[in-house]
Amino acid sequence: QVQLVESGGGSVQAGDSLRLSCAASGRTFSWYDMGWFRQAPGKEREFVAAIRWSGGSTYYADSAKGRFTISRDNAKKMVFLQMNSLKPDDTAIYYCAAGDNAYGRSTLGYGYWGQGTQVTVSS
């Protein structure tokens, strides 16, 4: 029903910025809450940020507060994650996710996932 494709990852130095993009297909995109998650090798997939279907509310993991900003453009069917002041600990595969009334930090609330985009931060 909803297909998601992430882009914008890459290799950067600590302190640099990246903007991740997630392009969605599906007529009901604007109905879904959206989230960003990340997963490092050998680690659990962890919550990064979430945004309500309307874009009126956002929620961040403690690790992301003050550095990352989630936003969406429903007209373009896209969601973004602006990442500033990147740290080596931010290195992971970043996933875009969508869910019906899924707003929150739990992966269980999101039924649709992108393929992921790699972010590597070197010191």
Side-chain angles (χ1 to χ4, degrees):
Q1 187 172 11
V2 177
Q3 292 77 48
L4 307 171
V5 179
E6 302 95 334
S7 63
S11 298
V12 299
Q13 296 293 117
D16 285 350
S17 297
L18 282 174
R19 190 180 77 156
L20 305 184
S21 298
C22 176
S25 63
R27 294 176 59 84
T28 59
F29 170 77
S30 62
W31 298 358
Y32 288 93
D33 300 326
M34 302 294 297
W36 284 98
F37 293 77
R38 67 188 185 187
Q39 187 167 24
K43 301 293 184 67
E44 294 287 317
R45 186 168 299 188
E46 67 175 358
F47 169 77
V48 177
I51 187 167
R52 273 289 192 189
W53 65 271
S54 65
S57 298
T58 57
Y59 178 55
Y60 296 93
D62 289 341
S63 61
K65 290 179 180 177
R67 299 189 299 128
F68 294 2
T69 302
I70 186 172
S71 61
R72 68 190 296 164
D73 186 334
N74 286 347
K76 296 182 178 180
K77 296 183 178 180
M78 297 190 73
V79 62
F80 307 95
L81 184 68
Q82 178 66 45
M83 304 187 294
N84 298 327
S85 302
L86 284 163
K87 305 174 181 179
D89 286 348
D90 295 319
T91 296
I93 300 175
Y94 283 71
Y95 296 91
C96 177
D100 185 5
N101 196 28
Y103 185 71
R105 63 171 48 248
S106 175
T107 59
L108 299 178
Y110 299 85
Y112 305 94
W113 296 83
Q115 85 289 348
T117 184
Q118 177 71 48
V119 172
T120 302
V121 184
S122 301
S123 61

